[in-house]
Amino acid sequence: MTSRSRSAVRRPAIALITLSLLGAGLAACSKPADSNGGAQTQDTPGITGTSVKIGTHTPLTGPAAAGYSPISKAASAYFAYLNAKGGVNGRKIEYVVRDDGYNPATTSTVVRELVQQDKVFAIVNGLGTPTHSAVVDYLNQQKVPDLFVASGASLWNQPEKSPYTFGFNLDYVREGKILAHYLKEKNPDAKFCVLRQDDDFGADLTTGIKQVLGDLTAEQEYAVSNESLTAQIGALKAAGCTVNLLATVTPFTAIALGTAAKMSYPAQWAASSSGGDYPSLVGYLGEDIGPKLLEGLVAANYLPFDADDEWVELFRQINTEYNADAPFTGNTVYGMSMAYTFAEALSRAGDSPTRESIVEALRSGEVMSNGITPAGFSADNHDPFAGAGITVVSKGVQAYVDGQVFTTDAEGGPVEPFSGQAVPLSGEGVPAP
């Protein structure tokens, strides 16, 4: 099994993209210069002649903070880079980040503040399935673009119910199918089991897994309020599970592997992109034991990853110059990829962007993002990616396995090899209309 080289860089993940659609006539109209000195060209919240204000909710504190707080910092760094290059159509991006502690009640509060007090143009990359579920209806009722949700739940791909919401992460059902397909090919006689979060994330990934594997030997659930997975890992061991698929966010992937090690329970472990980033997991497990426990870990991913990839090289440069040379992980790639995708959508929304025009830009199918498979946004599809590659950790390096990029649907269709090309870097990562 050969793999394209790459020191662990990658993010699961989790991701979010929503925009405002049909709405009630926010037609562009000329106005005098605004208080910021720019010529305000329309009555669209968050838009001036010189800036675009957007916001997000994300865990900067609490149990999920260590795993995901670097995402918004990476996105902010890309926007600083973009602003230094002149922004998008002459407008610089103002990115307002609010801490929700991964608590749905707090998410509701901070999102309403962003919309009603900060008057943001859009909510971009709100993080988490349980948290964003608390605000998706509100944002659509207010006709606020809800872009690139940091989650792969199927909830974000409901164009009729939620016309302003678009996802960013690979749909969890697709991801589950791709992981299960690869593992079944490699381990045809295994006893397959699942450890999953007790929400739509865990349910959707498990749905995809079962479409490929059928009935599982065992399934175990946990709540994010848990501090221990001893009972769940013990049950998997007792059931004789030999391949365990994890619908877990990063902290709980680490807890699962650490708990299994304490129980002397060897198994093949496979994680979703939301919980399989090697550098982040080493951060939880520690440099002394992390590399040993993570050896052989299988994960799915859908964004540029290899060390010599041109997107990765650009993001490393941006990270050094605009993010204080913070640790470069999958979170870094994820945050910057998402931010680039927003800039691409904004560039296609016209010289005088409105909430409706950015939604229409996504519905047009012209926004490609920068994945290893091109984005497939359309009027009928609000999910970005249809495919993913498989990564394996070997001797401290997490890398894509050559030839293991697949596409599939979120229904019962087959998992098929992807024969196309990844989206190439152009324009120094600054999208042109």
Side-chain angles (χ1 to χ4, degrees):
M1 174 172 65
T2 60
S3 57
R4 296 181 303 194
S5 67
R6 153 82 259 212
S7 149
V9 119
R10 195 71 250 224
R11 146 108 193 134
I14 263 185
L16 208 184
I17 148 177
T18 322
L19 285 133
S20 80
L21 192 67
L22 311 166
L26 294 175
C29 59
S30 275
K31 288 213 165 194
D34 61 35
S35 60
N36 292 325
Q40 188 172 1
T41 56
Q42 62 234 347
D43 292 330
T44 299
I47 298 286
T48 75
T50 59
S51 67
V52 178
K53 183 190 291 186
I54 59 177
T56 195
H57 66 85
T58 195
L60 301 178
T61 58
Y68 300 119
S69 59
I71 293 173
S72 58
K73 294 178 181 178
S76 296
Y78 171 81
F79 287 136
Y81 166 80
L82 178 70
N83 290 342
K85 296 284 188 180
V88 178
N89 293 329
R91 291 182 177 86
K92 296 186 177 181
I93 309 298
E94 180 183 351
Y95 190 44
V96 183
V97 179
R98 293 281 185 263
D99 178 21
D100 67 2
Y102 207 66
N103 181 321
T106 306
T107 304
S108 294
T109 298
V110 300
V111 166
R112 281 165 173 77
E113 290 174 353
L114 287 165
V115 172
Q116 297 169 14
Q117 298 176 22
D118 295 298
K119 307 291 185 184
V120 296
F121 171 65
I123 297 296
V124 179
N125 205 223
L127 190 144
T129 300
T131 46
H132 200 72
S133 296
V135 297
V136 63
D137 289 343
Y138 166 76
L139 292 171
N140 280 271
Q141 289 163 4
Q142 298 297 313
K143 300 176 180 177
V144 177
D146 177 20
L147 308 180
F148 314 134
V149 180
S151 156
S154 58
L155 295 169
W156 327 129
N157 188 19
Q158 301 184 62
E160 292 186 5
K161 179 184 177 182
S162 304
Y164 292 87
T165 297
F166 293 78
F168 189 70
N169 294 30
L170 177 66
D171 174 87
Y172 292 139
V173 175
R174 287 185 174 97
E175 189 172 29
K177 290 173 68 175
I178 290 169
L179 270 173
H181 173 83
Y182 173 81
L183 291 164
K184 184 178 181 180
E185 291 289 313
K186 295 295 179 182
N187 308 275
D189 299 322
K191 290 187 176 181
F192 293 98
C193 301
V194 164
L195 172 66
R196 68 187 191 192
Q197 194 163 296
D198 63 347
D199 58 13
D200 288 317
F201 162 41
D204 285 355
L205 198 82
T206 303
T207 294
I209 291 167
K210 286 184 172 181
Q211 285 184 18
V212 174
L213 297 177
D215 291 337
L216 301 168
T217 299
E219 298 178 46
Q220 289 291 311
E221 283 191 348
Y222 72 91
V224 293
S225 58
N226 286 17
E227 294 183 359
S228 169
L229 294 177
T230 299
Q232 290 88 343
I233 299 300
L236 296 177
K237 180 181 180 182
C241 303
T242 57
V243 176
N244 293 319
L245 293 93
L246 302 174
T248 53
V249 293
T250 308
F252 287 92
T253 302
I255 293 171
L257 294 178
T259 302
K262 289 179 181 178
M263 292 182 176
S264 300
Y265 171 32
Q268 170 69 69
W269 301 91
S272 81
S273 59
S274 297
D277 179 48
Y278 178 83
S280 300
L281 289 167
V282 170
Y284 277 104
L285 293 166
E287 293 285 349
D288 53 341
I289 193 172
K292 180 180 179 181
L293 297 186
L294 294 167
E295 184 70 14
L297 177 71
V298 173
N301 227 318
Y302 49 91
L303 294 173
F305 187 68
D306 292 343
D308 58 354
D309 184 277
E310 53 192 357
W311 286 102
V312 173
E313 291 177 353
L314 172 66
F315 292 160
R316 282 188 180 277
Q317 295 169 11
I318 294 173
N319 189 61
T320 297
E321 186 170 355
Y322 294 97
N323 199 24
D325 205 19
F328 192 86
T329 70
N331 284 327
T332 314
V333 173
Y334 179 91
M336 293 189 187
S337 296
M338 179 283 303
Y340 167 82
T341 306
F342 172 76
E344 184 186 0
L346 184 63
S347 74
R348 296 187 180 279
D351 290 337
S352 299
T354 65
R355 286 173 165 175
E356 289 73 25
S357 71
I358 194 169
V359 169
E360 288 302 325
L362 288 163
R363 286 165 53 89
S364 73
E366 295 180 352
V367 175
M368 293 290 100
S369 189
N370 69 329
I372 61 172
T373 65
F377 294 118
S378 72
D380 299 323
N381 178 52
H382 287 195
D383 276 339
F385 307 109
I390 297 295
T391 67
V392 175
V393 175
S394 176
K395 298 179 180 178
V397 175
Q398 187 175 35
Y400 276 124
V401 181
D402 286 341
Q404 301 298 317
V405 179
F406 304 97
T407 59
T408 189
D409 59 17
E411 307 300 330
V415 177
E416 299 177 319
F418 175 64
S419 58
Q421 298 295 319
V423 179
L425 176 71
S426 63
E428 297 182 310
V430 177

